[in-house]
Amino acid sequence: MIAIGGYFELELPQVIQYHGQAINLNSGRHSLEYILRLRSYTKIWIPYYTCEVVLQPIKKLGIDYGFYHIDEMLEPIFAYDSLADNEAFLYTNYFGIKDHYIRSLPAKCNIIIDNSMAFFAKPIPGFDTFYSARKFFGVPDGAYLYTYEGSRLDMDLPQSTSYQRCAHLLKRIDLGAEQGYADFKANDATLSDQEIMTMSKLTERILCSIDYKYVESRRLGNYRLYHQNLGQHNMLPEMLLNAVECGPLVYPFLTDRLGLREYLISKKVFVAQYWPNVLQWSDEDSWELKLTNQLIALPIDQRIEESKTEAILAFLNDWRMNENR
Ligand SMILES: Cc1ncc(COP(=O)(O)O)c(C=O)c1O
């Protein structure tokens, strides 16, 4: 019997989940672990340019791994023909703008698509594909997984709980971004200690309350506004930036002038660095190191109205003018 009456729970509108057909899990890294267990791979190829947490399930399961480079279009430099049946190949849908490329991949079922940066990308039948929710929405954790041919692990998974990981979400509203940051880091760290679990009821409930149409159109609108104004100064190829199809994560702005990240942070525009671990993994003159140091991930999320994007563009303009003096 579900309790009726009494005190209220957090009240949220009831809409529907965006990835209603997927397997709901606790995090992106645990979705990767699910795939690795399901397919019994013995080796996986991962890009130098990715987040170090993808190594957690690989190391946990004792699987061999190798790295590959990406080119200017953020596409793998890799001979897919050389991939053995027991080897997996992990590709990241960078910034959520590589859907077109993913559709052109050879139909090999041992390619895994990491859509952690591409929540709105459609899964392509034929690939195991996972998504992480917390880069896109105010949730503490949560992931979606589509498996090739709908295969499932023969394992009873416990259900996660997330209420204990929500302080940063609440503090950001009550106290502001700076006061919640330590909690964000601490809550983030707790994801590493978990097992594969199904998504918590709380995360699922929050993900059922989101206006996905609005989120996607706001993200696309901001992306395009940045691109109209900054495209000519962006060192990333025009063809790559124009390939955006669905709501991306950020607008990636590559510049060879130093100090932009620090300048924006001084204006309270917080820009994430993708990914600090690449500084250790890559050679000094590598493309991946350049991306890590010089790519500015301009925020485009659903909280940012057009007027705020214009304000950020004005900061960028001032910064460029100052550099020219
Ligand atoms: C590219 C990429 N893949 C996977 C993950 C893992 O997602 P999660 O934090 O939900 O485990 C992250 C972020 O943490 C990421 O940036």
Side-chain angles (χ1 to χ4, degrees):
M1 272 287 282
I2 295 175
I4 299 168
Y7 72 91
F8 277 94
E9 67 273 42
L10 177 67
E11 196 158 352
L12 297 162
Q14 274 283 8
V15 196
I16 48 162
Q17 288 190 83
Y18 191 79
H19 289 290
Q21 304 305 310
I23 305 171
N24 291 11
L25 294 172
N26 49 338
S27 73
R29 69 202 77 174
H30 291 97
S31 306
L32 180 59
E33 180 178 340
Y34 190 109
I35 299 166
L36 296 174
R37 285 181 185 271
L38 180 68
R39 309 286 179 213
S40 308
Y41 290 123
T42 54
K43 180 165 183 173
I44 182 166
W45 293 93
I46 64 169
Y48 281 104
Y49 190 55
T50 194
C51 179
E52 65 186 343
V53 306
V54 303
L55 274 182
Q56 286 178 12
I58 298 169
K59 289 186 172 167
K60 182 172 170 183
L61 299 177
I63 293 170
D64 190 14
Y65 60 94
F67 287 101
Y68 66 84
H69 288 284
I70 50 169
D71 64 16
E72 262 213 339
M73 289 290 287
L74 312 182
E75 292 169 11
I77 302 172
F78 190 80
Y80 292 107
D81 295 350
S82 66
L83 202 58
D85 287 347
N86 59 341
E87 291 179 4
F89 181 88
L90 181 72
Y91 180 64
T92 300
N93 188 340
Y94 290 109
F95 312 112
I97 59 176
K98 292 306 295 178
D99 297 64
H100 184 261
Y101 173 70
I102 288 169
R103 282 197 301 277
S104 77
L105 280 167
K108 266 187 175 277
C109 55
N110 42 352
I111 296 178
I112 302 169
I113 304 298
D114 178 351
N115 269 341
S116 301
M117 298 181 118
F119 188 87
F120 292 97
K122 300 271 174 299
I124 313 280
F127 301 132
D128 291 329
T129 304
F130 65 90
Y131 302 75
S132 168
R134 63 202 184 94
K135 282 198 198 309
F136 280 80
F137 308 106
V139 284
D141 48 30
Y144 292 108
L145 166 67
Y146 294 87
T147 58
Y148 173 59
E149 293 185 331
S151 320
R152 292 206 170 220
L153 255 187
D154 190 14
M155 240 171 112
D156 272 338
L157 301 178
Q159 185 159 34
S160 171
T161 57
S162 307
Y163 65 89
Q164 66 281 34
R165 248 192 307 281
C166 287
H168 62 290
L169 303 172
L170 306 178
K171 283 191 182 173
R172 177 129 194 184
I173 295 178
D174 250 351
L175 305 176
E178 290 86 348
Q179 272 91 335
Y181 189 67
D183 294 272
F184 166 69
K185 295 304 279 180
N187 290 332
D188 188 35
T190 64
L191 290 177
S192 303
D193 309 328
Q194 296 190 332
E195 298 302 315
I196 309 178
M197 290 190 256
T198 60
M199 188 186 286
S200 74
K201 290 180 200 158
L202 175 58
T203 297
E204 192 172 307
R205 189 66 193 79
I206 301 171
L207 287 172
C208 280
S209 74
I210 291 167
D211 181 347
Y212 289 102
K213 255 199 177 140
Y214 175 76
V215 172
E216 187 172 21
S217 74
R218 192 67 258 130
R219 284 178 173 273
L220 273 169
N222 285 334
Y223 181 100
R224 290 188 172 127
L225 191 57
Y226 279 128
H227 192 47
Q228 273 162 23
N229 288 276
L230 297 174
Q232 57 184 316
H233 307 290
N234 197 334
M235 291 166 65
L236 287 172
E238 182 74 22
M239 217 163 72
L240 166 70
L241 297 161
N242 284 339
V244 63
E245 291 180 11
C246 58
L249 181 67
V250 292
Y251 179 72
F253 180 62
L254 187 65
T255 172
D256 56 0
R257 296 189 188 159
L258 300 177
L260 179 55
R261 194 189 316 276
E262 294 71 20
Y263 174 77
L264 286 173
I265 291 171
S266 77
K267 299 284 180 195
K268 290 186 71 153
V269 179
F270 297 118
V271 286
Q273 186 182 34
Y274 298 112
W275 289 268
N277 52 285
V278 180
L279 303 174
Q280 268 90 57
W281 290 1
S282 297
D283 293 338
E284 230 168 78
D285 54 356
S286 66
W287 170 233
E288 285 84 358
L289 198 90
K290 186 169 180 165
L291 288 172
T292 302
N293 281 330
Q294 293 171 225
L295 189 144
I296 308 298
L298 293 172
I300 59 169
D301 68 65
Q302 54 273 24
R303 296 165 295 181
I304 305 172
E305 305 110 43
E306 197 170 310
S307 60
K308 283 196 194 147
T309 305
E310 278 162 357
I312 297 171
L313 281 165
F315 290 148
L316 283 158
N317 209 25
D318 284 352
W319 176 77
R320 264 207 320 274
M321 295 307 206
N322 282 334
E323 285 283 311
N324 287 338
R325 262 181 227 147

